[in-house]
Amino acid sequence: MTTAAMRRSIGMIAATALLVAGCSAGQGDPKVALTVGDVKVSTVEQVQQRLNELLATNQAAQDQARQRKLDVVSRGIVTQEALNQLTKQAAERAGIRLDEQLVEQSIPVLTGPQATQGDPFQAVVDAAFPAKEVARYRLMLVELGGRAIGRSSFEYDVAFLENFADAQKLAKQVADDPARSAQLMQAAPNPVRDPILNAKQGPADAESPDQLVSLATSPLFNLPAGSVVSTRLTGEQGGYIVFYLKSRQAAQPPAGFDASSVQPLQLAQAGQAQLVGLAQQTKVEPNPRFGTWDPVNLKVVSGEEASVVSTVQPAKTSRQQ
């Protein structure tokens, strides 16, 4: 390594150390990076070690360092640790046991660029973990997703609003008086489109396997029945939604549907969506220096994003099932 290259490496590692050593606010052990339920998943020192190793070996991570975006990488690492812990718990509850040979065989499919198409940042985060570990957790998600697609039907209301403050207010009103959900959503200020009320969705309504997969991969449809959500809309349209999941029932996939025909990475996405309900039962607490947990999108968000972080609250009276 040349002297100049060594200096760059030392500089990046120093930047990492400064990032991780930043001030921590709030309660809890300042040395703990992440707690999920009663499990202390990682320490700040362990997150720093992952960052240092990543910077020493990964060009994309070095690019992030030059752009002063190591905080984004650290949040991604803590997010992945949270997802891994939730995945482990969900797999244990479902009785999923993986064959180590199958895990090894899955590495080429479930890791690397082909597993993160459209999301180069996830490739950087993946590189902070051993490939076999990444494959193991994704394979658990594949199993969870395969068991979930086409297995539930739902009834819901949803409003589309321009302002987050309006969305928060409406979500609280619906949670306090769910019987008036339709009336409240119709009267909500600054809508960006008409609300969808008393909607029903299930396997029988799907026109294609892709629609079944889309339903299973939505975090909103994997919340406990009776949940009222306010969250940011993704895509170019922007705005916010208030979503009230009025009921959820067991269902059967359409005749002829075979979950094994779905691409493994799509199954993994469906599996990850299954973690949303578990995350409501199991408190996820990142160290405040890394950010705030978003309970719908299942990720650690920055302080700026925390001002519009998703909220989930139970309706006071609902037809929960």
Side-chain angles (χ1 to χ4, degrees), residues 116-143:
T116 55
Q117 291 178 4
D119 188 359
F121 174 71
Q122 185 60 46
V124 176
V125 174
D126 282 1
F129 299 83
K132 188 172 182 179
E133 181 179 338
V134 174
R136 176 178 288 106
Y137 284 113
R138 287 217 173 107
L139 192 56
M140 290 180 191
L141 293 176
V142 167
E143 293 290 331

Side-chain angles (χ1 to χ4, degrees), residues 235-252:
E236 297 180 357
Q237 183 178 7
Y240 302 86
I241 66 170
V242 174
F243 180 88
Y244 171 32
L245 185 58
K246 300 164 77 172
S247 68
R248 177 187 184 124
Q249 298 89 26
Q252 292 296 322

Side-chain angles (χ1 to χ4, degrees), residues 50 63 93 104 140 147 188 218 263 267 281 283 285:
R50 287 192 190 276
D63 292 341
R93 291 188 179 189
E104 291 280 0
M140 290 180 191
R147 298 182 185 193
S218 168
Q263 292 294 323
L267 290 175
Q281 305 167 14
K283 190 173 184 181
E285 295 181 287

